[in-house]
Structures are given as structure tokens and as C-alpha cells.
């Protein structure tokens, strides 16, 4: 690149501006030139956009892990400055191969803080604010302050919660139409092995995360009877140590299993190994133990780089209008060659978040216990409620997983038969601490 | 180099801070310089650039894979060139489990016949008999009634299904998981006559001329002028990166000897040639096995299935010991072929033969056309079909990625002739735009794309708008893909991109084709 002949002034505080090379270069150039395929862009508008990006635009990035590190780096190098990042985790040694904002000395420190410090030190102008916290610790007022949210989360539950939170911020005018200024777009990225997806969610206008929940099938759990009675795979032995032995043997007193603690994982490994040897099952290793206990699908660094770059590119396009946004969902698969597919994901009319949800019909045996019924609800593909608050339509609470005093008051019901608590063909109201919406469940006995 | 070392402190590398065209002036230079590497990545240079042509020709001859990766505005491009990559494990998800149900071996038949379903009363025990046992018994029954034949026609398959159902005693519940597994289409298919055929994706390797067990042409050294390999001293000295940014000057030879320490002493093209020879030796041996026994050597792994621990583990042992027996036979074939062709026995051992057998159905050969041939072949590659599929030949469609293949070539032509990017000088933009359109017409004609001058006219202006600018996220995306493909090629696992990818980042669409 040799010319700096583009009209309009370069950002005053960034040295070395040229169309190709510098931080602002490529973007600054595209902002100042149009084509029949782009919007009409003018040098004045370009300067406004750059000034907005530099002084006003507030970006929230959720997650500072595999995708989060990439997203932070991409956003800061694309010119975003006021960036906020939330992550609950601390840095583990096994993160270092792909979460490149962390070094060996950072192990044990909060991801959000270390990532923010790294980017602030490395990229001139970047101003990243970290929150070492859970996304659910923040209220509507917190989320309302951002122009745009990008999520790089691996937890389906967290993505559902975030999606519903941003949807709940949308206000409606007298005619029931969404008020533009209250809509905060969400760019959501996810990867699994060699696959991933990047999508744009415009709350109330486009399909939302909940609309497509069925694309993310619940994690396959091994049935307890297999684990306990007929183990065949090394995974079955590890899951036995995890699900049964830990609570029974309490190897570290009353402390809960923390898979980030090597001594905990090692205990699981030793128990699983012993059980596997007893049954003649081969293949229990420390690595596999860690994988099973943490429910990890091996992360592929390149998939994170690819999906995060696609997300950040959409963010840049959204804020700068150098090109239109994709519409609205990109699937990526790098397992066999390289394959991407971009299509418009349509809203689901009966989406529990953005549509008019239908009753969820569940069948159960009258003589089964409430505890068994709750397991059905936890495994139900559309509900996946693990901390349920279940009431009858007359307001009687059958069970509340939280808060603690309500749980104490209702846990006596767990062993009662369903037919002694409710009658068949009855509507129940289900809410969940982790899922910000209410569903009506229609129970019939079989 | 410093940043790379910061990311991973075992990175050991050297650099030459010079324009590559200043010391690679012809194919001979390229041959002697690049064949010491296992893979070469070229960034931000066009395929018609003379230096790129020198490098890619030399690397193609020496079988060193090349990746050409670029970003221009909102367009990304990646081309992989490899004469031959021998893939050890394509990790094909769709591959059916290898249970040998179509021709059960003696030990498997004996094991299955020990179960007498009608004598077992306990339904828990009944429902924990592995489905493999059910199917082996069903096959034996069916064959007895059909002169030893396997089911192949539709009515025969229906009949076989009834045989499977008839094995379930009335006391065993309908929903017993093992019977459900036995009746699953994908498992029934393992018993049909068609299951004996090796799937076509796998067959390709074993049909390849290089795998013929008699000639084993894969063992012959490739025509490659070895006097050119590793010619030293004619190039600028590489600066080896040393920690704490104390750069010190060493010759490439020194840094190379550091790179290969502790491992094999051969690197680059020689190493790749050796890996290929080992591959073809094993493939030839497995082909020999197939010709004698009518099937691939047994993989030896057992998928999870409803079963009690004891019968599952016994079955697992049965399969793995049969796989070991098969591998031993293959090892004999390897030795015979190696003796016949005077191949060094250091290149293989029992363990490597076992691994080849385990992955036999996932062995693949990956080959691409050379970049030079692509340019000269005048549209004989897969581009036109891909562009048509992509809807790019319809002038009203402007969201597709395919047009940018032609436009990058046009932009390359512009750069070659004018020494700068089209669109990089404001006053010249309109003139550049017309020129790019002229180049585009020539490229379209060259690659056989019909249509009016209007086709891809707007994309041409968009290309001029980009003017070779680099956007961080476009570079990050393409870099991520290139890293992924390099990993596949070096580990020889999964299938690399075949062979060109164009990404349109304005619409986030992409197209791939074999150029
Ligand atoms: Zn929705």
C-alpha cells in the first residue's frame, strides 16, 4: 500500500494512518469509500463513526475464555475502546494453549481481570473494564448501558439467560411496536470441536437463542443404572466416581467437587481406575477423567479464532456500516474441508422468550414420585429446568429449588407420589432461577 | 518472532527481513530454498505473481505443501496446493463400525452360539445380551435357510428382520434396548451383502496405482532432482530468534540442526517423501490382505451397546485379539514387500502396522492441482460448476463469494502491471475501475465464464473500493482457517480443504472448489 490519498482526516491520536497497514487503516479506508454494493458513505460520516467508536460506543463481551480472548483482541484491534468483559472463571493451566491473553504466572487469577490488563497494556487506546462475576449478578440497568453485546460462552444455560435478559430490555410503544433505542443487539458465537456458529440476534426483530434451542441438544448423560450396574466404558467408571462415590466417601470432607483442583480430579481418577480394573475395562486416564468430569468437548483453537473473527466482523459492520450485516446465522464446519452456510434463521412463533409460548405437555405415571417428575422436567428438551419452582394453578407450591427456606419447606414433597399431590390433566406453572421466563406445563397421567 | 515466542516459548525460529523476490529469482532458487520445510505459507501475494509461481512449482515437484492465503478488504482467499498428502486418519464420522457381522470369524460365532435365548428366564439378563450376539445368531439362521447367502434384496432384508425379531423370547419386553439396537437400520445394514463392499471413499486409496502390491510404485523415489535439495549459502543469512529479543545471526544450516535435534535427522521434502513411502508400503500390504481375505483387517474397537459388563468386556477382547491377528498377517505382507523392494526396516514396526490396520478405512490420499496448472488450465477446474451452484452466474445475485475468485485475479493483474493496488490513489479510482473491468473480462474469458460485461460489474467496483486494505477480523478469520488446514496437513489427520476457499465477509458467505 502506498497512498494515503483518502479524503477525510485520520483519527488524530493514532499515528501512522494509511489505508492498509495501521490499526485504523483498513477500516478508515472502507469508511470513506462506497460502491454500488455498499451504503453511501461520506468522509464526514466516516469521521463521525470513528469518533463514536472512539468516545461513545460501549461494548460488552461475555466470556474471557477461548472465544473471549479472541473477541477482546479482535474488538480492541478493530477500534472499539470502551469494552467491558464479564467472566466468572479463574485461569487454569490447561487454558494456556489457546487463551493467549494468559501466561503461566496468571494461573489461578480471574480471567476477566488478567485479560483486561493484557489488552489495556498492549493496545493503545483500549480501555477494558473487567468483571470477575456471573452474568446473572447484573440487573437490567447494567445491561441497558451497552450499544452491543458479543457473547463467547460455552454454557447453553448462560446463553439462554443472556438472550432473555436482552429481550426483556425491549420497550414497546402504544401500538406495541418495539422502541428502536431499547433494542440491544446480541452477537452470539459458539464452538464445539471443529464446528461452530456465529449469529446476530436483534431482540424482538430476529429469531432469538431460545427459538433455536433444539439446535443444541442437551448433553448426553449416562443412565445411572448403567454406571452403577453394567459399566462398559472407561467413562462409565469415571462418572461413577463422580456421581456416586464423591458424595458417599466425602474424600475432602464436605467440600464440593471442584474439577479445577488437581487433587480432586486425581481422586476421581484413582477411584475410576480401581473400578475399571475390577471390571476389566481399559482406558481410564487422568486426561479422560478431567474431560468427563468437566464435560469437555476438546476445544480447537482455530475454531475459536474463526468464529470469534466472524462475530467481531459483524460487530464492526453493525457499528460502522462498512457493509450490511449477515442475515443472520452462520454455521461453520472445518472437519471435512472448510464449510460455511449462512441463512436466515426464522423466529419460532411459539418461542417462550420472543413468541407466544404453547403449553408444554408432559406425561407421567401417577404413582411416580415428584422427584422422578422433576427429573423428567430437567431432561425435557424444551424445558431443561434444573432449579425448578413448580406451582399449581391455584398457587400451591409443589417444590422450590431456591431459595433455601422454600426448599426446606417443600422438599418433603419429593418422595410423595404425584397422584397424591396433583390430579391428571392439570396445568402447572414452572419457573427457574436460571431461566428468566415462566412456562405452563400440562401434566397428564398415563 | 518475538510475539510468537511469547505465545509459546518452545517456538524456535529464524527470519529473513527481506522481500522474498529479492533472493528467489527462479525455480532453481525456490527448489533449493523451500524444500527444507515441511510446509510453506505464502501471505498477501497473488497466484499469478512470478515469485509465487516459482515457489509453488518448486514445492509441487518436491511435494512440499503450500498454502496461499490473502485478505483484501472484505474478501478472503485460501488455496492449498499439495501434490500428495497421505492422510493417516480422515476421522470420517459417517464410517460404520467394523463388527464383521457379514462374515463373522470363528471366535465370534463360538461366542455368540453360547447364548441360548429360550433358556434364559431373567428378563434383565436377556436384555443385557449384546446386540452383536443377536445379529450373529440371526445371520447364521438366515444363511442356513438361504444357502449361505446374505440378505440383499428388499424382501430378503424384510425376512432377515423377522428372523432377528424371532430370536426374542416372549418373556423379553418389546422395548429391550439390545433388541432395539439389533433392529436399528444402521446395525441391520452391517449384515447385508452390501456390507462386504469397502466404501468408495476408502477404496480409492486401495485402487491407487501406487498401492499395487506387486509393483508398489509408491515406493519408488519421486522424480526430483536431489542435487538441488539443501543447496546452501546462496541465500541471505537467516536471523535466529533468541529469547529476550537478543537477535543473533546464524546460518539456516545451524538453525535447522537445532530444529531437528532429538528427532529424525531428515526434514522437509525428504521427510515427506519418506512418510509417503511408509504409507504406500502399508497400503500395499493391506491391499494384499484384502485380496486374500475379501475384507479390511479388523479395526478391533467396539462401540458402546446395551450389555452387561462381562459380556461386553469379553466381546471387546475377542475383537481386539482378532484385530491383532489380522495385523500380524498384514505385518508379514509388509515384510515381504519390504524385502522385495529393499526398503529399510527401520521405517516400520509392529505398532505402526497395528495403527495402519486400525485406521485402514480412514486412509486417504489428498492431491491437488498445482497453482501453475490452475492458471494454465483455462477453467478446466471446478470453479465454473461451483460458481453456478453458488448462484454467482446470475447477475442479480450479489451476495455470493465466487465472483471474487475472478476479481482477485484481475486485481493481481493490475498490481503486476501498475505496481500498486487498484483503487489506492483517490484521483485514479475511476480509471482503475475501468481497467479492473477490462482485466475481469479477460479472466472471465480465460476461465470460461459466459455472460455479459455486466456480470460481476458491481463486485469489480467493490474490489476497487477495498484497494488491498487489511481488516483485522478478515485477517484473523483467514489466519484461523489457514492454521487449521496446516494442522490437518502436518498431523495428516482430517481432510484438508480441496483446494480453494473464497469468503465474502460483506455477506459472510463462502464457496469452495477444486481449482
Ligand atoms: Zn425466540
Amino acid at each position: 500500500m502506498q497512498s494515503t490519498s483518502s479524503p477525510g482526516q485520520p483519527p488524530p491520536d493514532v499515528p501512522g494512518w494509511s489505508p492498509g497497514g495501521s490499526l485504523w487503516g483498513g477500516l478508515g479506508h472502507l469508511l470513506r469509500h462506497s460502491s454500488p454494493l455498499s451504503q453511501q458513505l461520506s468522509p464526514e460520516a466516516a469521521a463521525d463513526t470513528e469518533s463514536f467508536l472512539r468516545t461513545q460506543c460501549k461494548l460488552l463481551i461475555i466470556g474471557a475464555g477461548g472465544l473471549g480472548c479472541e473477541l477482546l483482541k479482535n474488538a480492541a484491534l478493530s477500534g472499539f475502546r470502551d469494552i467491558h468483559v464479564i467472566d466468572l472463571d479463574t485461569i487454569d493451566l490447561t487454558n494456556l494453549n489457546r487463551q493467549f491473553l494468559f501466561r503461566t504466572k496468571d494461573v489461578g487469577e480471574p480471567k476477566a481481570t488478567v485479560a483486561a490488563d493484557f489488552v489495556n497494556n498492549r493496545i493503545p487506546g483500549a480501555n477494558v473494564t473487567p468483571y470477575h462475576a456471573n452474568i446473572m449478578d447484573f440487573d437490567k440497568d447494567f445491561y441497558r448501558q451497552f450499544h452491543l453485546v458479543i457473547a463467547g460462552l460455552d454454557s447453553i444455560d448462560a446463553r439462554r439467560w443472556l438472550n432473555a435478559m436482552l429481550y426483556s430490555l425491549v420497550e414497546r410503544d402504544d401500538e406495541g411496536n418495539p422502541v428502536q433505542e431499547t433494542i440491544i443487539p446480541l452477537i452470539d458465537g459458539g464452538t464445539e470441536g471443529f464446528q461452530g456458529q456465529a449469529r446476530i440476534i436483534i431482540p424482538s426483530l430476529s429469531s432469538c437463542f431460545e427459538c433455536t434451542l433444539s439446535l443444541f441438544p442437551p448433553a448426553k448423560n449416562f443412565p445411572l443404572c448403567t454406571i452403577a450396574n453394567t459399566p462398559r466404558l472407561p467413562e462409565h467408571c469415571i462418572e461413577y466416581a463422580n456421581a456416586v462415590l464423591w458424595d458417599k466417601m466425602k474424600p475432602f470432607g464436605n467440600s464440593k467437587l471442584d474439577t479445577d483442583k488437581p487433587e480432586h480430579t486425581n481422586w476421581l481418577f484413582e477411584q475410576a481406575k480401581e473400578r475399571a480394573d475390577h471390571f476389566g475395562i481399559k482406558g481410564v486416564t487422568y486426561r479422560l477423567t478431567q474431560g468427563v468430569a468437566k464435560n469437555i468437548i476438546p476445544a480447537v483453537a482455530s475454531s475459536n479464532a474463526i468464529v470469534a473473527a466472524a462475530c467481531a466482523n459483524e460487530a464492526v459492520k453493525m457499528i460502522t456500516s462498512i457493509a450490511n450485516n449477515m442475515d443472520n446465522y452462520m454455521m461453520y464446519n472445518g472437519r471435512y474441508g472448510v464449510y460455511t452456510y449462512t441463512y436466515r434463521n426464522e423466529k419460532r412463533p411459539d418461542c417462550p422468550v420472543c413468541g407466544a409460548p404453547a403449553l408444554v405437555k408432559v406425561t407421567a405415571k401417577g404413582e411416580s414420585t415428584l422427584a422422578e417428575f422433576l427429573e423428567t422436567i430437567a431432561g425435557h428438551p424444551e424445558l431443561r429446568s434444573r432449579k425448578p419452582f413448580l406451582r399449581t394453578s391455584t398457587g400451591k407450591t409443589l417444590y422450590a429449588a431456591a431459595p433455601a427456606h422454600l426448599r426446606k419447606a417443600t422438599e418433603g414433597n419429593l418422595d410423595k407420589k404425584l397422584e397424591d399431590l396433583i390430579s391428571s390433566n392439570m396445568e402447572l406453572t414452572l419457573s427457574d432461577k436460571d431461566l428468566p421466563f415462566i412456562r405452563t406445563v400440562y401434566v397428564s397421567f398415563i | 518472532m518475538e510475539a510468537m515466542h511469547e505465545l509459546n516459548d518452545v517456538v524456535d525460529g529464524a527470519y529473513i527481513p527481506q522481500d522474498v523476490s529479492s533472493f528467489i529469482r527462479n525455480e532453481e532458487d525456490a527448489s533449493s530454498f523451500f524444500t527444507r520445510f515441511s510446509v510453506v505459507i505464502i501471505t498477501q501475494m497473488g497466484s499469478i505473481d512470478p515469485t509465487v509461481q516459482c515457489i509453488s512449482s518448486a514445492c509441487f515437484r518436491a511435494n512440499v505443501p503450500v498454502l496461499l492465503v490473502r485478505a483484501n478488504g472484505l474478501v478472503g482467499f485460501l488455496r492449498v496446493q499439495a501434490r500428495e498428502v497421505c492422510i493417516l486418519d480422515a476421522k470420517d464420522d459417517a464410517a460404520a463400525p467394523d463388527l464383521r457381522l457379514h462374515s463373522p470369524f470363528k471366535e465370534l460365532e463360538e461366542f455368540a452360539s453360547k447364548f441360548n435365548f429360550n433358556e434364559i428366564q431373567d428378563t434383565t439378563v436377556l436384555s443385557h445380551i449384546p446386540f452383536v450376539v443377536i445379529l450373529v445368531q440371526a445371520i447364521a439362521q438366515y444363511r442356513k435357510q438361504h444357502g449361505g447367502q446374505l440378505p440383499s434384496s428388499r424382501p430378503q432384508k424384510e425376512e432377515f428382520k423377522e428372523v432377528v425379531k424371532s430370536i426374542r423370547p416372549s418373556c423379553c419386553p418389546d422395548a429391550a434396548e439390545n433388541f432395539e439396537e439389533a433392529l436399528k437400520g444402521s446395525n441391520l445394514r452391517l449384515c447385508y451383502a452390501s456390507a462386504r463392499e469397502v466404501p468408495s471413499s476408502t477404496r480409492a486409496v486401495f485402487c491407487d496405482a501406487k498401492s499395487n502390491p506387486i509393483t508398489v510404485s509408491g515406493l519408488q523415489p519421486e522424480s526430483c532432482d536431489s542435487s538441488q535439495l539443501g543447496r546452501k549459502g546462496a541465500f541471505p543469512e537467516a536471523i535466529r530468534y533468541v529469547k529476550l529479543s537478543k537477535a543473533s545471526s546464524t546460518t539456516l544450516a545451524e538453525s535447522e540442526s537445532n530444529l531437528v535435534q532429538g528427532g529424525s535427522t531428515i526434514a522437509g521434502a525428504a521427510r515427506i517423501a519418506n512418510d509417503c513411502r511408509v504409507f504406500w508400503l502399508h497400503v500395499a500390504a493391506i491391499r494384499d490382505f484384502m485380496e486374500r481375505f475379501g475384507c479390511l483387517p479388523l479395526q478391533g474397537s467396539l462401540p458402546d451397546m446395551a450389555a452387561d459388563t462381562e459380556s461386553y468386556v469379553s466381546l471387546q477382547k475377542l475383537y481386539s485379539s482378532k484385530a491383532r491377528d489380522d495385523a500380524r498377517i498384514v505385518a508379514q505382507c509388509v515384510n515381504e514387500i519390504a524385502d522385495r523392494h529393499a526398503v529399510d526396516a527401520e521405517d516400520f514396526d509392529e505398532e505402526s502396522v497395528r495403527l495402519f490396520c486400525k485406521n485402514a478405512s480412514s486412509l486417504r490420499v489428498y492431491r491437488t492441482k498445482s497453482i501453475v496448472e490452475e492458471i494454465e488450465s483455462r477453467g478446466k477446474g471446478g470453479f465454473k460448476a461451483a460458481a453456478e451452484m453458488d448462484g454467482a452466474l446470475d447477475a442479480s445475485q450479489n451476495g455470493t463469494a465466487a465472483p471474487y475468485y475472478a476479481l482477485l485475479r484481475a486485481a493481481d493483474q493490475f498490481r503486476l502491471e501498475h505496481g500498486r493496488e487498484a483503487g489506492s490513489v483517490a484521483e485514479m479510482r475511476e480509471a482503475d475501475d475501468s481497467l479492473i473491468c477490462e482485466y475481469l473480462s479477460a479472466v472471465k474469458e480465460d476461465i470460461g465464464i459466459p455472460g455479459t460485461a455486466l456480470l460481476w460489474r458491481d463486485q469489480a467496483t467493490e474490489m476497487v473500493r477495498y484497494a488491498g486494505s487489511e481488516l483485522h477480523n478478515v485477517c484473523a478469520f483467514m489466519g484461523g482457517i489457514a492454521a487449521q488446514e496446516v494442522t490437518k496437513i502436518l498431523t495428516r489427520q482430517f481432510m484438508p480443504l480441496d483446494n480453494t476457499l473464497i469468503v465474502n465477509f460483506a455477506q459472510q458467505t463462502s464457496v469452495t472448489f477444486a481449482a
Side-chain angles (χ1 to χ4, degrees):
Chain A
M1 283 312 311
Q2 41 174 251
S3 167
T4 56
S5 62
S6 305
Q9 285 304 302
D13 58 344
V14 179
W17 186 80
S18 76
S22 80
L23 183 60
W24 280 83
L27 190 57
H29 179 84
L30 289 193
L31 267 172
R32 284 168 178 79
H33 296 87
S34 334
S35 87
L37 295 182
S38 76
Q39 304 189 18
Q40 267 310 310
L41 302 158
S42 70
E44 296 72 34
D48 284 350
T49 302
E50 281 165 351
S51 149
F52 174 74
L53 206 49
R54 207 166 47 235
T55 60
Q56 289 175 46
C57 186
K58 248 181 140 142
L59 171 67
L60 176 63
I61 292 178
I62 315 251
L67 279 166
C69 282
E70 296 275 354
L71 288 168
L72 276 166
K73 177 253 318 169
N74 291 347
L77 287 174
S78 298
F80 287 94
R81 295 196 162 180
D82 189 3
I83 304 169
H84 298 243
V85 60
I86 305 177
D87 197 305
L88 182 63
D89 277 353
T90 51
I91 297 160
D92 184 76
L93 190 67
T94 57
N95 300 145
L96 299 184
N97 67 344
R98 61 193 184 281
Q99 300 178 17
F100 52 83
L101 302 177
F102 312 138
R103 302 286 172 262
T104 316
K105 65 173 169 48
D106 303 321
V107 169
E109 299 290 319
K111 286 186 178 177
T113 321
V114 176
D117 287 348
F118 191 103
V119 172
N120 289 340
N121 288 330
R122 193 65 160 254
I123 302 171
N127 178 19
V128 183
T129 311
Y131 304 88
H132 178 213
N134 191 316
I135 55 168
M136 294 175 205
D137 297 342
F138 300 93
D139 59 7
K140 286 186 177 189
D141 285 335
F142 174 82
Y143 287 101
R144 202 174 273 133
Q145 60 179 316
F146 298 101
H147 293 98
L148 176 62
V149 180
I150 314 181
L153 287 161
D154 51 10
S155 143
I156 300 297
D157 288 345
R159 287 158 88 181
R160 289 174 82 184
W161 187 91
L162 178 70
N163 172 66
M165 164 54 92
L166 294 180
Y167 181 83
S168 74
L169 297 180
V170 178
E171 290 167 17
R172 304 212 171 236
D173 63 17
D174 296 343
E175 283 161 26
N177 297 317
V179 178
Q180 191 66 43
E181 296 74 53
T182 62
I183 298 175
I184 300 174
L186 167 65
I187 299 177
D188 176 77
T191 65
E192 202 180 285
F194 273 102
Q195 295 171 35
Q197 74 291 136
R199 66 187 296 188
I200 297 178
I201 295 168
I202 314 283
S204 82
L205 300 180
S206 75
S207 73
C208 77
F209 189 81
E210 198 71 25
C211 289
T212 51
L213 190 62
S214 61
L215 295 178
F216 304 90
K220 217 180 90 195
N221 284 326
F222 301 112
L224 196 64
C225 60
T226 297
I227 299 169
N229 303 325
T230 58
R232 299 176 294 269
L233 305 180
E235 289 87 346
H236 294 155
C237 301
I238 297 166
E239 201 45 45
Y240 185 78
N242 183 2
V244 179
L245 292 179
W246 183 273
D247 287 336
K248 210 159 99 185
M249 296 170 69
K250 298 193 190 305
F252 295 89
N254 273 329
S255 70
K256 271 173 63 180
L257 177 67
D258 180 352
T259 48
D260 285 330
K261 288 206 175 109
E263 63 270 30
H264 287 192
T265 311
N266 201 46
W267 186 86
L268 288 183
F269 165 61
E270 277 166 4
Q271 294 298 322
K273 184 90 180 63
E274 200 184 311
R275 186 170 169 82
D277 288 346
H278 173 74
F279 283 106
I281 297 166
K282 291 197 174 70
V284 173
T285 60
Y286 183 83
R287 210 183 140 92
L288 184 73
T289 307
Q290 202 178 25
V292 171
K294 285 187 161 186
N295 207 349
I296 309 177
I297 290 166
V300 176
S302 51
S303 303
N304 284 337
I306 293 158
V307 165
C311 289
N313 185 45
E314 292 305 319
V316 168
K317 290 196 288 182
M318 192 175 284
I319 299 298
T320 65
S321 303
I322 53 166
N324 293 330
N325 278 111
M326 69 172 177
D327 187 19
N328 52 26
Y329 196 115
M330 179 194 74
M331 293 194 304
Y332 163 76
N333 193 339
R335 201 181 163 85
Y336 201 95
V338 175
Y339 173 79
T340 76
Y341 177 59
T342 303
Y343 71 105
R344 177 186 295 175
N345 188 285
E346 301 286 356
K347 275 177 124 170
R348 227 182 73 192
D350 61 348
C351 169
V353 171
C354 70
L359 290 179
V360 181
K361 290 186 181 155
V362 179
T363 53
K365 286 192 179 122
E367 66 267 27
S368 61
T369 63
L370 179 64
E372 285 166 331
F373 182 66
L374 292 179
E375 260 179 55
T376 309
I377 285 183
H380 191 283
E382 236 187 284
L383 299 170
R384 305 188 202 175
S385 164
R386 279 181 293 277
K387 290 178 186 158
F389 192 141
L390 199 61
R391 278 164 299 173
T392 65
S393 47
T394 55
K396 180 179 143 198
T397 301
L398 295 174
Y399 181 72
H405 71 274
L406 270 183
R407 192 180 65 235
K408 275 226 176 80
T410 53
E411 64 193 359
N413 284 345
L414 286 175
D415 293 330
K416 287 188 188 157
K417 285 182 182 169
L418 220 45
E419 58 198 6
D420 295 337
L421 291 165
I422 56 171
S423 49
S424 188
N425 303 325
M426 201 164 169
E427 280 182 18
L428 302 177
T429 309
L430 169 73
S431 56
D432 188 304
K433 183 177 143 310
D434 292 345
L435 306 171
F437 53 77
I438 293 169
R439 295 300 303 259
T440 306
V441 180
Y442 186 84
V443 192
S444 10
F445 292 164
I446 44 168
Chain B
M1 203 58 80
E2 190 182 331
M4 207 144 81
H5 198 269
E6 187 194 340
L7 280 175
N8 182 354
D9 58 16
V10 299
V11 167
D12 185 358
Y15 59 93
I16 299 172
Q18 276 182 44
D19 188 336
V20 66
S21 61
S22 69
F23 60 94
I24 302 295
R25 285 159 307 255
N26 50 45
E27 209 180 308
E28 204 180 31
D29 288 345
S31 262
S32 33
F33 187 81
F34 286 101
T35 49
R36 72 194 74 207
F37 300 102
S38 308
V39 67
V40 175
I41 306 173
I42 304 172
T43 62
Q44 297 302 54
M45 291 173 86
S47 21
I48 59 168
D49 185 304
T51 310
V52 170
Q53 300 237 318
C54 287
I55 299 172
S56 55
S57 299
C59 289
F60 197 75
R61 276 207 300 144
N63 199 20
V64 174
V66 172
L67 279 85
L68 191 58
V69 54
R70 6 184 357 203
N72 185 341
L74 289 164
V75 168
F77 169 95
L78 174 68
R79 165 74 149 93
V80 184
Q81 173 195 278
R83 200 183 65 210
E84 178 176 292
V85 180
C86 300
I87 305 287
L88 299 173
D89 186 357
K91 311 252 180 200
D92 187 353
D93 270 349
D98 180 18
L99 297 175
R100 248 341 139 71
L101 296 179
H102 50 79
S103 38
F105 43 97
K106 200 175 95 240
E107 296 84 349
L108 178 59
E109 267 180 332
E110 283 170 6
F111 177 80
S113 64
K114 276 190 290 194
F115 292 82
N116 189 337
F117 285 83
N118 291 315
E119 275 176 13
I120 304 168
Q121 302 298 321
D122 187 336
T123 53
T124 319
V125 174
L126 271 175
S127 59
H128 280 100
I129 299 173
F131 84 84
V132 170
V133 170
I134 301 172
L135 288 180
V136 170
Q137 288 200 6
I139 284 281
Q141 262 187 48
Y142 180 92
R143 277 184 154 161
K144 217 178 269 168
Q145 297 155 4
H146 293 81
Q149 297 296 308
L150 291 170
S152 66
S153 70
R154 184 183 284 268
Q156 285 173 344
K157 289 174 185 174
E158 283 304 317
E159 195 188 331
F160 177 66
K161 210 168 163 181
E162 291 309 313
V163 175
V164 177
K165 283 182 185 162
S166 74
I167 291 178
R168 181 175 58 219
S170 48
C171 64
C172 180
D174 275 7
E177 226 184 311
N178 54 341
F179 277 93
E180 275 187 355
E181 285 175 350
L183 288 165
K184 238 171 77 180
S186 56
N187 288 333
L188 285 173
R189 263 200 294 283
L190 300 175
C191 308
Y192 301 155
S194 54
R196 280 188 165 154
E197 290 159 24
V198 178
S200 59
S201 49
T202 304
R203 213 165 40 220
V205 176
F206 296 101
C207 292
D208 197 285
K210 283 190 169 184
S211 70
N212 185 317
I214 309 298
T215 57
V216 205
S217 58
L219 294 178
Q220 308 305 317
E222 299 289 341
S223 57
C224 175
D225 188 359
S226 58
S227 68
Q228 289 299 323
L229 297 181
R231 181 166 61 91
K232 286 173 187 146
F235 305 107
E237 281 197 351
I239 303 164
R240 181 142 173 268
Y241 175 75
V242 177
K243 212 182 165 182
L244 301 171
S245 64
K246 268 186 262 159
S248 76
S249 190
T250 55
T251 64
L252 257 184
E254 279 172 59
S255 71
E256 248 171 61
S257 65
N258 281 315
L259 284 173
V260 296
Q261 65 190 350
S264 162
T265 47
I266 53 168
R271 175 67 190 264
I272 294 169
N274 195 60
D275 286 347
C276 287
R277 271 197 295 278
V278 172
F279 179 87
W280 288 115
L281 171 66
H282 285 84
V283 171
I286 294 173
R287 180 166 159 176
D288 205 6
F289 180 96
M290 280 166 76
E291 278 163 15
R292 279 158 63 185
F293 300 96
C295 56
L296 287 170
L298 191 70
Q299 276 175 15
S301 50
L302 190 65
D304 190 29
M305 59 189 72
D308 61 279
T309 307
E310 202 196 322
S311 47
Y312 182 83
V313 172
S314 318
L315 206 50
Q316 206 173 28
K317 282 188 183 144
L318 215 66
Y319 274 101
S320 90
S321 103
K322 176 66 181 168
R324 259 200 313 276
D325 294 347
D326 282 3
R328 228 168 270 136
I329 299 173
V330 174
Q332 272 170 18
C333 304
V334 169
N335 282 322
E336 282 163 25
I337 298 170
D339 283 350
R340 246 185 355 254
H341 294 86
V343 177
D344 206 347
E346 260 175 46
D347 291 337
F348 55 91
D349 52 32
E350 212 163 299
E351 181 61 19
S352 74
V353 175
R354 211 185 52 75
L355 260 174
F356 267 100
C357 291
K358 186 167 183 286
N359 295 328
S361 64
S362 300
L363 301 174
R364 300 280 186 281
V365 208
Y366 170 83
R367 294 182 178 126
T368 78
K369 199 182 271 182
S370 78
I371 289 172
V372 173
E373 197 189 342
E374 169 193 345
I375 303 295
E376 285 167 356
S377 72
R378 299 184 151 259
K380 290 209 186 66
F383 174 71
K384 200 172 147 187
E388 202 162 358
M389 277 270 287
D390 201 27
L393 298 186
D394 174 354
S396 66
Q397 289 280 331
N398 53 31
T400 62
Y404 292 100
Y405 171 65
L407 277 157
L408 280 169
R409 293 242 315 239
D412 289 343
Q413 192 67 36
F414 185 100
R415 186 162 61 174
L416 215 56
E417 288 179 25
H418 301 267
R420 63 175 178 88
E421 297 287 347
S424 61
V425 177
E427 309 79 64
M428 307 285 283
R429 281 187 72 208
E430 275 182 31
D432 289 2
D433 191 63
S434 323
L435 264 177
I436 283 287
C437 284
E438 271 176 39
Y439 293 141
L440 174 64
S441 296
V443 173
K444 279 198 306 202
E445 206 187 301
D446 199 39
I447 59 180
I449 295 296
T452 62
L454 277 178
L455 185 69
W456 307 343
R457 177 70 187 79
D458 288 347
Q459 285 89 340
T461 311
E462 182 76 357
M463 201 79 225
V464 175
R465 175 188 176 219
Y466 296 158
S469 55
E470 291 176 9
L471 292 173
H472 176 77
N473 299 316
V474 172
C475 297
F477 188 101
M478 296 313 295
I481 301 244
Q484 170 187 292
E485 296 308 303
V486 163
T487 309
K488 288 180 188 172
I489 288 170
L490 292 179
T491 61
R492 299 155 79 202
Q493 292 180 34
F494 300 95
M495 281 307 277
L497 162 74
D498 184 23
N499 50 39
T500 304
L501 167 75
I502 312 281
V503 189
N504 173 347
F505 287 92
Q507 310 278 344
Q508 197 55 56
T509 54
S510 74
V511 63
T512 60
F513 55 92

